[in-house]
Amino acid sequence: MNEWLKKFTASLKERWAKWSIAQKIILIGIVVAVIAAIVVTSRVSSAPTTVPLFNTPVTNQDARDAILFRLEEENVRATVNAAGVISVPDERTARRMRSLLVREDLVPTSVDPFSLFDVSSWTTTDFERNVNLQRSIQRMIKQHIEALDEVASADVVITAPERATFTEDQKPTTASVILTFNPGSNMANERKKIEGVQKLLLKAVVGLKAEDIVITDSEGNQLNNFEGLADIDRNNIIKQQQKQIELLETQLRAKVLKALQTTFGADRVRDLNVKIEMDMSKVSRDMTIYTPIMITEQDPTKPYDTTEKRDSIPISSQTITKEFTGTGFNPEGPAGVEGQNPPVMSDMSNVIGQSKETGVTQNNAINTEHRTVEVSPSMGKRTVSVNIDGQWRIKLDPKTHLYAVNQETGAIEREYVPVNSEVLEQATSYVRDAIGYDLTRGDSVTVTNIPFDRTEQFRAEDEAYFARQRRNRTIMWVLIGVTIVLIAFIVFRFISRELERRRRLREEELLRRQQAEREKALWDARQEGMEVTMSVEERKRAELLESAMAMAKEHPEDVAMLIRTWMMEE
């Protein structure tokens, strides 16, 4: 085998040497192309497969961006090709995301999320197609509902009656769904999620209406009876409104309390009570406002008001003038019939008179503005109450300039200084401006000066003060004792050193006398011619004395320093 491989290699080398440069380049190009094709094929085959979210492309850019953003929130990796088809990793994810998008109304109107059975067969009848269509819709709806995280299983039944000739004879399409939830799920009490399931059915089944859908749980309780949930919704709305009011109260309380504590101190202003009333109901008002007509606008070069306004402008006018001169006839009725006028009126017949009537009718134009205002919510009455404590001052003893102590109770005497009335008024004005005080709204602001109960605080301060006083006295007596001991030690040391000095002087004097007597005896013996012998100790002493005298003569400074050191040590 090795020999065959060697022969094959040798033949390849021989052929390669015989080839021309063009043949070599062509061979290398073919090999590179084959390798590139293998690499591309392996990458394409190893690429993960995806499933289209919808069978039709989403051409609307805004709708596509909204869908991709929602998929990104659910941590679903999605891709979009050039045609606009959105793809997800697997079929289960696609069903779950379609259910979510249908529930949140994010599916574009041009996209059918349930395009099923696009493949037809020549041997399939219309009845079979309808049955298969209904079954497929039920199966797909079941899969979509079960794709929800909180749903363990779902049973879907859809009844589609045959199409009637007349509309009044047409029976409605109905749907019933039984949901079994996972343990710990609260989906049955969340209206939005149940509405999502209902929207899923409405989108999937043609001709289905909301009133023909029944969604129940495994115990038979109807979940899509939203009219019965009106009270629950109302309670939830009330809770949200209460939370909003509490949030406003907390923000207002924190703002005003921080300002007052910065001015008076955190210990003097401890709490602030705020109560806000709000009308959360929606009120729509129609108003007609009459405003004057502007004749001349304001001249910007003039510092004063140059506008001219009128309440109205005449549009048209009519003047009516009536005059009458002649005999005033008193009608008696038809001819030949006795009149019914009283005698007084009858006597006034054929009286000559004159009548004149003048009237003016004028139509004016005025500015009229119609407004429709919807108010929700509206701010109501605000009530704020805060208490500011005064100042406590400790009395001093005029003799010792220390804290004055009550002899009966044994406590430090203190004096309460209340807050000045002017300061209280200024604080009240400050709080009113801070909360936007409105008298017409019925707002109320109360700032009081009631002393806080500081019994425990004063007791702790008194105990700390007296403990400090006792500690100071103890330290003072200890220092006095230490001072006395130090003074006694110094005196004892001084006396002992003095006694030692005197003893040393006596010894030196005694030694000096003995040395003098010894030298005198030696001198006398030398004078008499006697041979004197010195002991070993005397000879060493004499040698040391001579060497010390010689060193003192040669190095007087060193000897003086040595003597000074000896004296300091002594």
Side-chain angles (χ1 to χ4, degrees):
M1 185 67 183
N2 294 331
E3 294 179 357
W4 178 83
L5 183 61
K6 291 180 180 179
K7 292 180 179 180
F8 181 73
T9 305
S11 63
L12 285 179
K13 290 182 180 180
E14 185 178 357
R15 292 179 181 179
W16 178 262
K18 293 180 180 180
W19 284 357
S20 63
I21 298 176
Q23 292 176 342
K24 293 180 180 179
I25 293 174
I26 293 172
L27 179 60
I28 293 173
I30 293 172
V31 172
V32 171
V34 171
I35 294 173
I38 294 173
V39 171
V40 171
T41 304
S42 62
R43 288 188 177 182
V44 171
S45 61
S46 63
T49 59
T50 57
V51 176
L53 184 62
F54 303 116
N55 291 337
T56 57
V58 181
T59 57
N60 191 344
Q61 181 67 30
D62 297 335
R64 186 167 61 245
D65 293 341
I67 293 173
L68 293 176
F69 180 75
R70 190 66 182 91
L71 295 178
E72 185 179 356
E73 289 182 348
E74 295 293 329
N75 296 325
V76 175
R77 182 174 56 84
T79 58
V80 183
N81 58 12
V85 177
I86 302 174
S87 301
V88 293
D90 50 31
E91 182 63 28
R92 179 177 177 80
T93 304
R95 289 197 302 267
R96 184 168 63 88
M97 289 299 102
R98 278 196 291 266
S99 301
L100 180 64
L101 296 175
V102 170
R103 185 178 66 190
E104 298 184 0
D105 291 334
L106 293 178
V107 179
T109 56
S110 60
V111 175
D112 182 11
F114 302 103
S115 54
L116 306 173
F117 286 89
D118 293 335
V119 180
S120 60
S121 175
W122 291 98
T123 61
T124 304
T125 62
D126 292 340
F127 177 77
E128 291 176 342
R129 290 193 183 95
N130 294 332
V131 172
N132 291 336
L133 176 60
Q134 184 173 352
R135 289 179 178 177
S136 63
I137 291 175
Q138 290 182 179
R139 185 169 61 254
M140 292 299 296
I141 293 175
K142 175 182 173 63
Q143 292 175 357
H144 278 275
I145 296 176
E146 290 179 349
L148 300 176
D149 296 335
E150 299 183 9
V151 178
S153 62
D155 294 331
V156 180
V157 177
I158 299 175
T159 302
E162 295 181 0
R163 186 175 184 84
T165 305
F166 300 101
T167 306
E168 57 270 13
D169 296 336
Q170 180 66 45
K171 295 181 180 181
T173 303
T174 59
S176 63
V177 180
I178 299 177
L179 300 177
T180 302
F181 302 105
N182 290 323
S185 174
N186 194 30
M187 183 176 176
N189 298 325
E190 296 185 8
R191 178 173 180 175
K192 184 177 181 181
K193 295 182 179 180
I194 302 300
E195 286 181 345
V197 176
Q198 182 170 310
K199 289 179 181 178
L200 190 65
L201 293 168
L202 294 174
K203 288 283 187 178
V205 181
V206 179
L208 184 62
K209 297 181 180 179
E211 58 268 16
D212 298 326
I213 300 174
V214 177
I215 303 175
T216 62
D217 57 7
S218 58
E219 297 179 358
N221 299 319
Q222 186 175 356
L223 303 178
N224 64 334
N225 185 13
F226 301 126
E227 295 180 358
L229 297 177
D231 294 336
I232 299 177
D233 295 340
R234 181 173 178 274
N235 293 333
N236 293 334
I237 293 173
I238 292 175
K239 290 180 182 179
Q240 294 177 1
Q241 293 173 355
Q242 292 296 331
K243 288 182 180 180
Q244 184 179 1
I245 295 174
E246 291 176 0
L247 178 61
L248 293 176
E249 291 177 351
T250 302
Q251 293 176 351
L252 188 61
R253 182 187 299 109
K255 181 179 69 175
V256 179
L257 184 62
K258 182 179 179 181
L260 293 177
Q261 287 180 347
T262 304
T263 304
F264 296 97
D267 189 51
R268 294 179 61 190
V269 184
R270 299 181 180 179
D271 196 8
L272 183 139
N273 300 318
V274 178
K275 180 63 178 176
I276 299 177
E277 296 180 1
M278 296 181 65
D279 185 8
M280 296 295 182
S281 60
K282 293 184 179 180
V283 180
S284 180
R285 299 175 182 175
D286 293 333
M287 297 181 295
T288 302
I289 302 174
Y290 299 96
T291 58
I293 299 174
M294 182 69 66
I295 304 299
T296 305
E297 298 289 342
Q298 172 68 34
D299 188 355
T301 60
K302 303 295 179 62
Y304 52 87
D305 187 10
T306 61
T307 60
E308 181 182 355
K309 300 178 182 178
R310 294 182 185 178
D311 295 337
S312 62
I313 297 177
I315 296 178
S316 62
S317 62
Q318 180 181 7
T319 303
I320 301 174
T321 302
K322 295 181 180 181
E323 295 183 358
F324 170 75
T325 302
T327 302
F329 295 96
N330 187 13
E332 293 285 344
V337 179
E338 184 180 357
Q340 301 296 325
N341 293 330
V344 178
M345 295 294 295
S346 301
D347 294 341
M348 295 178 64
S349 61
N350 299 325
V351 178
I352 303 300
Q354 182 178 359
S355 175
K356 185 176 182 181
E357 180 181 355
T358 303
V360 178
T361 302
Q362 181 173 324
N363 296 322
N364 297 328
I366 60 176
N367 276 348
T368 305
E369 182 179 355
H370 297 279
R371 294 182 183 178
T372 300
V373 181
E374 184 174 345
V375 181
S376 175
S378 61
M379 300 300 295
K381 179 181 178 181
R382 298 185 182 184
T383 304
V384 179
S385 62
V386 60
N387 182 43
I388 302 175
D389 190 15
Q391 294 179 340
W392 290 90
R393 296 178 182 176
I394 299 177
K395 294 183 179 180
L396 299 177
D397 191 351
K399 296 180 180 180
T400 60
H401 297 287
L402 298 176
Y403 290 172
V405 180
N406 192 338
Q407 300 300 328
E408 297 179 358
T409 60
I412 301 174
E413 293 185 358
R414 294 176 175 82
E415 180 184 4
Y416 180 73
V417 180
V419 182
N420 192 359
S421 58
E422 295 181 358
V423 177
L424 287 178
E425 292 179 359
Q426 293 175 358
T428 303
S429 301
Y430 179 82
V431 175
R432 287 178 177 175
D433 294 339
I435 67 171
Y437 179 81
D438 188 357
L439 181 61
T440 59
R441 192 170 54 198
D443 293 352
S444 174
V445 175
T446 303
V447 180
T448 59
N449 175 216
I450 302 175
F452 293 157
D453 183 12
R454 299 178 181 269
T455 305
E456 297 297 331
Q457 177 184 350
F458 291 162
R459 183 182 294 109
E461 291 178 355
D462 294 348
E463 291 178 357
Y465 174 74
F466 291 133
R468 187 169 61 253
Q469 292 295 104
R470 291 192 296 269
R471 185 169 58 254
N472 292 338
R473 285 196 295 269
T474 302
I475 293 173
M476 182 182 66
W477 286 112
V478 169
L479 292 177
I480 291 173
V482 171
T483 304
I484 293 173
V485 171
L486 289 175
I487 293 174
F489 177 76
I490 292 171
V491 172
F492 173 77
R493 181 68 176 170
F494 180 76
I495 294 173
S496 62
R497 292 186 65 178
E498 183 65 22
L499 294 176
E500 181 68 20
R501 188 180 67 80
R502 290 182 181 183
R503 184 184 62 78
R504 189 171 59 251
L505 290 176
R506 286 195 302 269
E507 291 178 355
E508 290 177 357
E509 182 64 22
L510 179 61
L511 292 175
R512 187 181 61 78
R513 289 179 182 179
Q514 291 177 358
Q515 181 67 23
E517 290 177 358
R518 189 180 297 108
E519 290 178 355
K520 183 178 179 181
L522 292 174
W523 178 260
D524 292 340
R526 289 178 180 177
Q527 291 294 330
E528 292 177 358
M530 297 176 64
E531 185 177 357
V532 181
T533 60
M534 299 179 65
S535 63
V536 178
E537 295 179 356
E538 291 178 350
R539 190 178 296 111
K540 289 182 178 181
R541 185 179 182 84
E543 291 177 358
L544 289 174
L545 183 62
E546 290 179 0
S547 62
M549 293 175 63
M551 185 178 293
K553 291 180 181 180
E554 294 178 0
H555 305 284
E557 296 179 357
D558 296 340
V559 174
M561 185 178 297
L562 179 61
I563 296 172
R564 191 181 300 111
T565 303
W566 286 348
M567 292 179 66
M568 290 177 65
E569 291 180 355
E570 294 294 333

